[in-house]
Amino acid sequence: QVQLVESGGGLVKPGGSLRLSCAASGFTFSDYYMTWIRQAPGKGLEWVSYISSTSSYTNYADSARGRFTISRDNAQKSLHLQMNSLRAEDTAVYYCARGRCRGTSCPPDYWGQGTLVTVSS
Amino acid sequence: QSALSQPPSVSGSPGQSVTISCTGTSNDVGSDNGVSWYQQPPGTAPKLMIYDVTNRPSGVPDRFAGSKSGNTASLTISGLQAEDEADYYCSSYTNSASWVFGGGTKLTVL
């Protein structure tokens, strides 16, 4: 069965950096685009970034562009999100999710359980 | 990209039907891009319930139905059950190749 397991969350000071990872299993990782979606405490979902199946195309929400970098390693079946210049408003549970098919217009279907990032001094 | 607009809450009694609306613009919901719906019970990850406006993934009961008219999409849940109580989010791909979510609707089963 499809499994996505995020890691790397934690407490970081404003201006600091964090690298999130997502380990995938149960499907052919290299066939799907992957995305990061976050949810601030008690708030709604916010799309952060996605990466195509071959890493040839990425896109970011305005809130992440220039500070976050998404990447993937198809050999290791892993997805990453490098987050720099973190702000208090980046505090959220970060979910790794699989696109339902190869194209980036396919909605995320399987989601991990999320990893909590807290930005606070 | 502005969030899609959803009512903060809806409620219904067991066996009844409820409809949750999701209003966007011609750049997202109103375009040819698909609309999807997610169910999120408290403390859990979202689950895809509807994709491409009307399609249900395998395992999702046919009590869940999606539709769209113009810039507004809707999720209708018929035959409400206690287990349907959750937050529901709509989502749409946009013409700028990004994703946008609705603010979420809390469904209470009375």
Side-chain angles (χ1 to χ4, degrees), chain A residues 13-94:
Chain A
K13 289 181 168 52
S17 298
L18 214 53
R19 179 177 163 90
L20 305 184
S21 295
C22 171
S25 60
F27 65 102
T28 304
F29 184 72
S30 57
D31 281 350
Y32 296 86
Y33 89 92
M34 299 295 295
T35 187
W36 288 99
I37 295 159
R38 69 184 182 183
Q39 186 170 33
K43 302 296 185 183
L45 301 171
E46 180 189 13
W47 170 74
V48 175
S49 177
Y50 64 65
I51 185 167
S52 64
S53 58
T54 61
S55 302
S56 60
Y57 185 67
T58 61
N59 199 9
Y60 299 88
D62 289 344
S63 58
R65 188 172 290 114
R67 299 188 300 127
F68 294 3
T69 302
I70 191 171
S71 62
R72 64 190 293 163
D73 183 335
N74 284 347
Q76 296 296 320
K77 300 182 182 179
S78 61
L79 175 72
H80 306 282
L81 186 69
Q82 177 67 43
M83 303 187 296
N84 299 331
S85 303
L86 283 162
R87 308 163 180 164
E89 53 265 37
D90 295 318
T91 294
V93 173
Y94 284 72

Side-chain angles (χ1 to χ4, degrees), chain B:
Chain B
Q1 183 69 41
S2 299
L4 306 176
S5 180
Q6 297 182 233
S9 63
V10 297
S11 62
S13 299
Q16 289 186 333
S17 294
V18 295
T19 296
I20 301 171
S21 62
C22 170
T23 301
T25 71
S26 57
N27 288 323
D28 39 61
V29 175
S31 69
D32 287 337
N33 301 314
V35 175
S36 47
W37 289 89
Y38 295 89
Q39 177 193 64
Q40 186 180 33
T44 69
K47 174 186 176 183
L48 181 65
M49 303 300 284
I50 297 286
Y51 67 93
D52 292 349
V53 181
T54 60
N55 295 311
R56 286 185 307 275
S58 174
V60 173
D62 59 6
R63 301 185 296 105
F64 291 83
S67 62
K68 189 181 85 168
S69 177
N71 294 339
T72 298
S74 298
L75 172 70
T76 298
I77 309 171
S78 57
L80 265 182
Q81 299 180 3
E83 67 202 49
D84 298 333
E85 189 160 287
D87 292 330
Y88 289 84
Y89 294 91
C90 62
S91 179
S92 176
Y93 195 62
T94 77
N95 287 342
S96 56
S98 62
W99 282 92
V100 63
F101 285 91
T105 298
K106 181 178 179 60
L107 168 63
T108 300
V109 181
L110 303 170

